[in-house]
Amino acid sequence: MGFNQEQKKAVLHGPGPCLVLAGPGSGKTLTIVNRIKNLIEGYHVRPEEILVVTFTRFAASEMKSRLCSLMGKRNLPVTTGTFHGIYYGILKWAYRFGPENILSEEEKYQIIRGAVAKQEMEVFDEEDFLKDIAEEIGKIKNNRLDADEFVSAKCSADAFREIYKAYEAHRKSLRKIDFDDMLVLCHDLFAGRPDVLALWQKKFRYILIDEFQDINRVQYDVIRMLALPENNLFVVGDDDQAIYGFRGADSELMFRFKEDYPAAEQIVLGMNYRSTGNIVRNSLKVIENNEKRYRKELKANKDSGQCVHVQETRDPNEEAGYVADEIEKRMEEGVPAEETAVLFRIHTDARPVVEELLKRKIPFQMKEHLPNLYNHFIAKDIQSYFRLAMGEGVRKDFLQVCNRPKRYIGRDSLSGTRASFEEMRKFYCDKDWMMDRIDQFEWDVKMLKKMAPYAAIQYIRKRIGYDDFLKDYAFTKKIERSVLDEILFEIEEAARPFADMGEWFRHVEEYTEALRLKEKKKNENQEGVRLMTLHAAKGLEFDTVFLIGANEGRMPYQKATKEREIEEERRLFYVGLTRAKETLKVCYVKTKNGKAVDPSRFVDELLEE
C-alpha cells in the first residue's frame, strides 16, 4: 500500500523526538510498523535496540504480527509489549522477581472484596464496584497521589481510605506487588540507580509508543528517563480520543511533550480511511468545541455517504424499539449483525435494548459485564413485596421488607422458614401501636395483590412509603439519592408492559438467564449485534453505529461538572461517532423515569450548521 504525504513523513522520520497526531481511521499501526522497518533497513538500527510500547497485550500482539508479515515473515528481536510487561521485565532482571512475587488479578480482587466487606456497604453490582475501587487504587499509585487526600467517586472518603490501607497491608503481608506497583518500583529503580538506567538506555535506543494520549504520570516519567540521552522518542496518539482520565491517564502529557521536547517534529495523520465524509465532518463539528486540543485538519478518503441521522424518541422503551427496527432493516439490506454496534454511556442504559433484542430474537453479544438490574437490593425488595402479595408466606421475604419502610418489626417475631401476619400479631399482642402497624402492613400487601406490576410499584413507593425509606437509606449510607431513584425508576418502567406479577416474574427469570448465558459466552467468538459502552468501543470500527441515550446527564455524564471533565465527555462522544464506517444514528429521549429530559449539548453541536 502507498502512503499519503503525512504517513510517509512519519515513516521516514529518523533520530530525535517526534509527536504524531493520528486522527481516527488514519492508519497509525501501518505507519508505526513501517517506521520500524525503515529504522532497520534505512537507518541500520539493530532490531534489539527498538522498543515498541502499547497499552494492551492484544495491540502488542497485533503489532508483532504486522511487523513479522511486513518483514517477509521474519520474526525480528524488536521488543514489543505493554508498559506493565516491559517494566516487569526490567524489575525481573534487577530484583530477580518471579511469578510468585506478583499479585494475580484474582488475589487482588479477593483482598479488595475482603476490605470492602468490613465496611458493611450496600453494593449494587459487586463486580463493577470492585473494578472501580481497583482503578482508584491504581490512580493513586500511577499519579503518586496521597491516599489520605484522595476523593473516591464510588464511596465515602473514610471508607475508601480504610479499604486502601487494608488492601496495602494485606498485599505487603503476602510480600507481593500488584501491576501498578511495577510502574512505581521501576521509576524508583531508575531514579536511584543511574548505572542500571544507563544499561537499559543503551539497550533501547529507539522507543515508539502507541496510544500516547492514554499515558499516566509514572509511565511518562520512566519513558523520559529511558529515552535519554538520545531522545529517539516517537509517540503516536490522538488528544481527541483521550478518554481514560478516570483510570489515571493524563491527557495533559500530550501537550507537555512539546514543552519537554521543543525540537520535536510534529506530524498530523489527518486522512480518515474508515468513515464517510459526512461522519468525519459532523464529528469534527462536535470535537472542535473543546478548547484544550491540538487543532488539526481531518478529511475523509471516502465520499460523503449517508447523512448522520439524529432520532428523537419518547422514552428509552421507544428508543429500544426504534434501534431494533433499524437493526432489522440493516440486516435485511445485507449488513451482518456483527457489523452493527449499539453504544451507550453506562451499563444500565443497555437494559431496554437488551430486552427488545431478546424479545425479537435478534442475536447480540456484549463485550463487558452487564449488571443485572433485578439483582439490585431495590429489585429484591419489590420481588419480596410481590411474593407476599401472591401469598407466598416465606420468612425471608417478610424479613426483607418488614422494615422498608421502618415498622420496628423485630426478626425474632418470626420463626421457621414460613411466616405470617398472624404470627407477628401473637408476638406483639401486648403492644397496640405495633398491632396497628402490622394491620397496615397486611392491608397494603392485600392491596398489591389486585394490581399490575407497574401500579404495584407505584403503590409501594407512594402509599407504603418506600420513597421515604430510600431517602433515609441514602442519607445514612452516604449514597447519592439520585442513583437509587434511577434504579427504582428503571425497575418501574421495565414493569410497565406486564399484566400480572406472575408474568413479571417469568420475564425477570428469562432476562436473568439470558444475561447469565451471555456472560458465560462473553469471551467466545459469537455472532450478533455488538452492545458496549463508549469506553469499550475505542479502537473498534463498525459499518453501522447507534449511539443511544444522547441526553444531558448521560452525555455528558451528570457527575462531570468541571470544564476538564466536560471536555473528556465530549471526547468520549467523539470516539462513539468515529466508530462508524457508513451509517451513524444518534438517539435521544424526551422523557426518562417519568421526567422531561433535554437532548445532549453534543447533539446540539452536531445539529449546528
Side-chain angles (χ1 to χ4, degrees), residues 24 46 69 86 117 149 151 167 210 235 260 264 267 273 319 329 371 446 522 526 567 571 596 604 608:
R46 289 163 52 226
S69 179
I86 303 298
E149 293 176 12
V151 179
Y167 169 76
D210 189 17
V235 301
D260 291 334
I267 301 165
Y273 294 94
E319 181 182 59
K329 280 183 200 168
K446 280 180 180 172
K522 191 166 63 179
Q526 309 165 64
E567 293 216 342
R571 294 194 292 267
D604 291 341
E608 281 171 9

Side-chain angles (χ1 to χ4, degrees), residues 193-455:
R193 291 285 304 272
D195 56 327
V196 171
L197 175 59
L199 286 170
W200 289 97
Q201 287 170 336
K202 196 174 175 185
K203 175 169 174 57
F204 296 132
R205 290 184 50 238
Y206 285 81
I207 301 171
L208 299 89
I209 301 176
D210 189 17
E211 302 287 8
F212 184 66
Q213 76 279 351
D214 296 334
I215 202 166
N216 66 42
R217 183 80 240 178
V218 177
Q219 290 166 342
Y220 182 67
D221 289 345
V222 174
I223 283 295
R224 284 203 68 210
M225 286 192 267
L226 204 51
L228 288 167
E230 296 179 76
N231 290 330
N232 295 324
L233 195 51
F234 183 88
V235 301
V236 184
D238 183 6
D239 55 303
D240 290 334
Q241 295 187 67
I243 59 171
Y244 292 119
F246 68 98
R247 283 188 191 165
D250 186 355
S251 58
E252 298 283 325
L253 294 171
M254 277 206 89
F255 304 99
R256 174 78 183 270
F257 187 85
K258 287 290 285 180
E259 293 171 25
D260 291 334
Y261 302 99
E265 185 174 10
Q266 183 174 309
I267 301 165
V268 178
L269 302 185
M271 183 61 76
N272 185 320
Y273 294 94
R274 173 192 300 154
S275 307
T276 62
N278 275 326
I279 292 170
V280 171
R281 186 172 55 81
N282 282 284
S283 58
L284 271 175
K285 272 162 53 179
V286 175
I287 200 62
E288 283 175 348
N289 285 281
N290 270 3
E291 291 294 323
K292 186 76 175 175
R293 67 183 289 267
Y294 283 106
R295 301 288 152 187
K296 39 187 126 43
E297 191 180 337
L298 303 177
K299 296 176 183 173
N301 190 52
K302 293 180 177 178
D303 59 18
S304 292
Q306 302 172 33
C307 290
V308 172
H309 182 79
V310 176
Q311 181 67 38
E312 177 184 276
T313 57
R314 186 180 63 248
D315 56 29
N317 290 335
E318 185 174 282
E319 181 182 59
Y322 166 76
V323 169
D325 286 345
E326 293 299 309
I327 288 171
E328 286 177 334
K329 280 183 200 168
R330 292 300 283 159
M331 288 167 75
E332 282 165 16
E333 289 164 6
V335 176
E338 299 74 37
E339 274 294 312
T340 297
V342 181
L343 309 180
F344 36 86
R345 178 62 182 85
I346 63 168
H347 296 113
T348 49
D349 295 340
R351 196 269 314 158
V353 175
V354 167
E355 294 200 344
E356 191 64 31
L357 297 181
L358 285 170
K359 189 168 82 180
R360 300 195 193 197
K361 295 187 167 48
I362 297 173
F364 69 93
Q365 54 177 290
M366 295 176 297
K367 189 175 180 181
E368 306 142 285
H369 165 72
L370 180 66
N372 184 353
L373 179 72
Y374 301 112
N375 284 341
H376 195 280
F377 82 83
I378 294 174
K380 298 287 186 191
D381 289 349
I382 288 165
Q383 288 169 33
S384 288
Y385 267 117
F386 281 12
R387 278 192 290 266
L388 291 177
M390 293 166 77
E392 298 176 20
V394 178
R395 180 174 182 262
K396 186 182 171 187
D397 287 324
F398 274 102
L399 292 176
Q400 178 84 15
V401 295
C402 66
N403 288 306
R404 295 185 171 194
K406 198 75 179 162
R407 298 183 180 94
Y408 299 96
I409 296 170
R411 296 180 72 87
D412 50 356
S413 66
L414 297 166
S415 57
T417 54
R418 307 291 297 172
S420 68
F421 291 104
E422 204 50 50
E423 189 184 348
M424 277 191 266
R425 285 194 189 90
K426 283 178 187 173
F427 187 85
Y428 290 109
C429 60
D430 57 338
K431 294 182 178 67
D432 289 346
W433 59 279
M434 279 302 293
M435 298 296 272
D436 290 344
R437 289 172 190 271
I438 294 164
D439 288 347
Q440 185 62 49
F441 187 10
E442 184 176 24
W443 171 257
D444 285 332
V445 166
K446 280 180 180 172
M447 291 298 291
L448 291 176
K449 188 176 183 179
K450 305 168 188 175
M451 298 177 187
Y454 180 75

Side-chain angles (χ1 to χ4, degrees), residues 527-544:
E527 297 178 347
V529 176
R530 266 58 170 171
L531 267 62
M532 64 187 79
T533 61
L534 290 165
H535 282 104
K538 184 160 174 292
L540 304 177
E541 57 181 45
F542 306 92
D543 174 275
T544 302

Side-chain angles (χ1 to χ4, degrees), residues 65-256:
S65 172
R66 293 273 289 270
L67 182 60
C68 181
S69 179
L70 186 67
M71 301 300 286
K73 304 296 178 191
R74 282 187 297 148
N75 207 348
L76 299 171
V78 171
T79 302
T80 308
T82 63
F83 276 105
H84 289 98
I86 303 298
Y87 292 4
Y88 172 59
I90 293 168
L91 294 174
K92 197 174 168 184
W93 172 87
Y95 299 125
R96 301 290 182 264
F97 275 176
E100 69 280 359
N101 300 113
I102 307 301
L103 196 70
S104 71
E105 285 295 282
E106 195 178 330
E107 287 173 312
K108 180 178 185 173
Y109 281 101
Q110 276 176 356
I111 296 171
I112 297 174
R113 187 178 286 110
V116 168
K118 286 177 188 167
Q119 297 302 309
E120 297 180 351
M121 299 159 72
E122 192 79 64
V123 173
F124 164 25
D125 187 86
E126 187 185 58
E127 187 173 329
D128 261 20
F129 183 77
L130 296 179
K131 182 168 157 283
D132 290 338
I133 293 294
E135 280 174 353
E136 291 192 327
I137 289 171
K139 200 171 184 177
I140 287 171
K141 295 184 179 188
N142 292 331
N143 292 288
R144 305 172 77 79
L145 304 174
D146 183 347
D148 288 333
E149 293 176 12
F150 183 78
V151 179
S152 169
K154 301 301 168 185
C155 59
S156 71
D158 290 342
F160 179 81
R161 205 159 30 247
E162 291 304 314
I163 292 167
Y164 183 83
K165 285 177 181 172
Y167 169 76
E168 282 294 273
H170 195 150
R171 175 187 67 73
K172 287 172 183 173
S173 74
L174 296 172
R175 302 177 70 82
K176 292 189 175 190
I177 62 169
D178 64 25
F179 285 98
D180 299 305
D181 293 320
M182 289 179 194
L183 309 182
V184 177
L185 284 173
C186 201
H187 175 276
D188 294 346
L189 171 68
F190 283 171
R193 291 285 304 272
D195 56 327
V196 171
L197 175 59
L199 286 170
W200 289 97
Q201 287 170 336
K202 196 174 175 185
K203 175 169 174 57
F204 296 132
R205 290 184 50 238
Y206 285 81
I207 301 171
L208 299 89
I209 301 176
D210 189 17
E211 302 287 8
F212 184 66
Q213 76 279 351
D214 296 334
I215 202 166
N216 66 42
R217 183 80 240 178
V218 177
Q219 290 166 342
Y220 182 67
D221 289 345
V222 174
I223 283 295
R224 284 203 68 210
M225 286 192 267
L226 204 51
L228 288 167
E230 296 179 76
N231 290 330
N232 295 324
L233 195 51
F234 183 88
V235 301
V236 184
D238 183 6
D239 55 303
D240 290 334
Q241 295 187 67
I243 59 171
Y244 292 119
F246 68 98
R247 283 188 191 165
D250 186 355
S251 58
E252 298 283 325
L253 294 171
M254 277 206 89
F255 304 99
R256 174 78 183 270

